[in-house]
Amino acid sequence: MRYISTRGGIAPIRFKDAVMMGLADDGGLLLPEMIPSFTSAELESWRGLTYPQLAFEIISRYVDDIPADDLRGIIDRSYATFSHPEVTPVVRQDGVFILELFHGTTLAFKDVALQFLGNLFEYILAERRERLTIVGATSGDTGSAAIHGVRGKKGITIFIMHPQGKTSAVQALQMTSVLDDNVHNIAVQGTFDDCQDIVKTLMNDLEFKQRHKLGAVNSINWARVLAQVVYYIYAWLKVAQAGQKVLFSVPTGNFGDIFAGYVAWQMGLPVQQLLLATNENNILTRFINQGDYSVGQVVQTVSPSMDIQVASNFERYLFYLFNRDAARVRTAFAQLKNEGRIVFSPDELAQVRHDFCSASINREQTLATIGSFLKETGYLLDPHTAVGVKAARDLAAGDMLPVCLATAHPAKFGEAVQEATGQPVPLPPAIQRLLGLPTRCALLPADQQQVRTFIEQHVE
Ligand SMILES: *Cc1c(COP(=O)(O)O)cnc(C)c1O
């Protein structure tokens, strides 16, 4: 399998090189040259598989430059760190299915991808006798999952920027309490989009990128999307009969998670539609419902991991929407840069509405959903998951089979959940362990030059 760029500017590369490149050298995002498909008979034959076994079946179709046993080892090590034997179990609550993606070390779905990516990096670096400097931006969950994915790993130094004061207390603690020498936290005085812009600027500086062997852990890394494809298929196998279609409701920020669902669908998974659920940062909902893709200001919400305006993985979907026309992708992003918006044709918008439906759920609705869901079912939702559950209740027709992705454990966003229920959230052991630990973190303005200097001073 070879990988190409959405902007058409690189020669096809193999999987390991795609993992190490992160953002494509032409500024685009990497995608497999073709999406491998499976038949319904193959899908049925996977019903009895464990999560790691299924992960191998899916992931190995995209990887032809790692021996099968080594790939199995990487997958097994990644999912052994999860506290639930099923890794991503599905529970049924009041007519909706909840796909619990929060049983990893940092209690959010990003562990599913970042444990895999951390082990993949370690494997490739050891083989090539190389080193890697990871530079990433986080609205909270990516950073903690990435840090836990690579802490103490040989050959890797990680720099994670988060917007100062805009993550939850637990998220900040999960990052800054990691004192391993190879881990550097930077609190940036700005928004998540500022942090992401700084990463993009550094990554687009090819001289800097090559000198420090920069790599990405943001969902721009293809390996992350790939790891996430697995749980859509795993969930389908748990809830659907042969041929039955499922509606996946996905609380969305950077579009990485829902894009993995799109890939699973293109591979052959029976999907009805993808429900893209947003908070008040609803550029993607406006796009799907009104055809208006224009960037606004980021507002702070009770689901901070979705406080994003420019969703980087959206470019991957646009590549398919534009029938794989890289020139059209380049024009669209030039337009976005110059005019702050992308204009779509009626045919393109019709395709978008075939693939997605969408709802934007505000703060009151989110908190009310957490409260009412707890009363009706005894099940506690985190604010991100509540956005998806509320959207599914509003949009899923009676004959549909909705699966809501539970992207975080409620204790990770305890402040908001307590506001919704009036009760403190019981802390799981993974959080209790952190309280009172010493922390380390640098504070910098939202200025790429100062971040660049900090990295140069601290890279090993
Ligand atoms: C990252 C995150 C999201 C958004 O996922 P994207 O892949 O960025 O769309 C939703 N919920 C939680 C808890 C997250 O950490």
Side-chain angles (χ1 to χ4, degrees):
M1 176 72 74
R2 307 263 158 177
Y3 289 82
I4 55 173
S5 165
T6 50
R7 307 224 178 157
I10 65 160
I13 55 175
R14 300 186 75 181
F15 176 76
K16 285 189 288 196
D17 297 316
V19 172
M20 299 315 289
M21 191 178 280
L23 188 70
D25 283 346
D26 65 352
L29 298 188
L30 295 167
L31 280 171
E33 215 164 29
M34 41 93 51
I35 294 182
S37 58
F38 52 74
T39 64
S40 49
E42 277 175 302
L43 182 61
E44 287 305 314
S45 76
W46 293 337
R47 287 209 186 259
L49 298 187
T50 64
Y51 190 94
Q53 286 169 337
L54 180 68
F56 178 78
E57 286 296 331
I58 308 301
I59 293 172
S60 59
R61 289 168 191 236
Y62 291 87
V63 181
D64 56 11
D65 54 352
I66 297 178
D69 282 346
D70 291 358
L71 184 60
R72 255 191 217 100
I74 291 169
I75 291 170
D76 288 349
R77 283 199 296 287
S78 302
Y79 298 113
T81 63
F82 280 63
S83 63
H84 196 287
E86 279 201 67
V87 182
T88 65
V90 184
V91 299
R92 189 189 178 113
Q93 298 289 345
D94 196 29
V96 296
F97 289 98
I98 309 267
L99 169 57
E100 292 186 344
L101 301 173
F102 52 70
H103 293 283
T105 328
T106 71
L107 308 179
F109 85 93
K110 295 191 172 73
D111 291 321
V112 176
L114 283 163
Q115 287 293 318
F116 176 65
L117 185 60
N119 287 314
L120 208 48
F121 276 148
E122 187 182 45
Y123 175 87
I124 299 171
L125 292 172
E127 189 181 70
R128 298 182 172 181
R129 297 169 200 278
E130 278 177 8
R131 37 175 314 105
L132 173 69
T133 305
I134 294 169
V135 179
T138 185
S139 53
D141 288 340
T142 305
S144 50
I147 285 168
H148 286 266
V150 306
R151 66 183 298 180
K153 285 203 156 60
K154 270 223 179 82
I156 305 178
T157 310
I158 185 167
F159 295 85
I160 292 292
M161 280 171 259
H162 66 268
Q164 186 208 7
K166 295 192 175 74
T167 67
S168 82
V170 169
Q171 286 177 320
L173 200 54
Q174 283 177 331
M175 293 190 279
T176 59
S177 66
V178 177
L179 302 182
D180 298 63
D181 289 342
N182 69 332
V183 173
H184 301 279
N185 280 287
I186 305 172
V188 169
Q189 294 164 315
T191 63
F192 169 71
D193 284 348
D194 292 331
C195 298
Q196 190 157 263
D197 279 348
I198 295 174
V199 172
K200 280 208 166 179
T201 306
L202 297 178
M203 291 285 176
N204 281 327
D205 180 342
L206 290 189
E207 190 278 322
F208 186 79
K209 183 178 177 182
Q210 275 151 18
R211 184 152 45 95
H212 295 298
K213 304 240 173 281
L214 294 200
V217 286
N218 284 67
S219 44
I220 53 181
N221 197 302
W222 166 254
R224 283 190 56 184
V225 173
L226 178 55
Q228 292 173 185
V229 172
V230 176
Y231 53 67
Y232 284 90
I233 299 168
Y234 187 80
W236 186 92
L237 291 166
K238 294 290 159 184
V239 309
Q241 316 268 316
Q244 202 177 5
K245 289 184 176 173
V246 165
L247 173 88
F248 288 102
S249 178
V250 189
T252 295
N254 232 335
F255 204 82
D257 198 3
I258 199 165
F259 182 73
Y262 177 79
V263 172
W265 190 359
Q266 302 311 302
M267 289 182 81
L269 193 70
V271 172
Q272 176 114 39
Q273 215 179 15
L274 296 167
L275 198 180
L276 188 154
T278 58
N279 61 24
E280 287 92 334
N281 296 292
N282 60 2
I283 175 172
L284 291 169
T285 300
R286 275 189 283 117
F287 167 60
I288 291 164
N289 293 343
Q290 286 133 45
D292 166 31
Y293 188 84
S294 55
V295 179
Q297 287 291 312
V298 180
V299 296
Q300 233 178 306
T301 73
V302 287
S303 43
S305 300
M306 294 151 61
D307 291 352
I308 291 163
Q309 284 286 335
V310 182
S312 42
N313 269 287
F314 188 56
E315 176 164 347
R316 287 195 159 110
Y317 172 69
L318 290 187
F319 182 73
Y320 294 107
L321 180 65
F322 297 157
N323 294 315
R324 308 173 50 110
D325 179 354
R328 171 83 175 98
V329 175
R330 287 197 301 272
T331 322
F333 280 89
Q335 195 176 47
L336 183 66
K337 199 167 178 188
N338 298 331
E339 300 160 34
R341 58 200 291 259
I342 301 176
V343 178
F344 294 88
S345 75
D347 281 355
E348 287 162 354
L349 288 174
Q351 182 63 43
V352 168
R353 289 184 191 130
H354 167 268
D355 297 338
F356 301 100
C357 57
S358 186
S360 166
I361 306 300
N362 67 24
R363 174 192 171 89
E364 286 67 40
Q365 293 169 312
T366 304
L367 297 179
T369 301
I370 296 173
S372 63
F373 207 79
L374 179 65
K375 270 208 198 90
E376 290 157 25
T377 66
Y379 188 91
L380 197 55
L381 300 169
D382 106 286
H384 305 77
T385 308
V387 165
V389 167
K390 169 70 175 150
R393 286 189 157 174
D394 287 355
L395 295 188
D399 57 347
M400 287 185 183
L401 199 57
V403 173
C404 299
L405 276 62
T407 51
H409 189 288
K412 196 159 187 184
F413 300 93
E415 296 97 330
V417 175
Q418 177 162 359
E419 191 181 335
T421 64
Q423 290 154 26
V425 185
L427 293 186
I431 293 178
Q432 262 169 22
R433 234 181 284 133
L434 302 178
L435 303 174
L437 287 182
T439 61
R440 178 159 56 81
C441 184
L443 178 64
L444 293 178
D447 173 48
Q448 64 87 15
Q449 191 53 51
Q450 295 208 35
V451 172
R452 187 187 293 252
T453 306
F454 181 88
I455 292 172
E456 281 175 332
Q457 284 165 350
H458 291 86
V459 74
E460 276 161 38

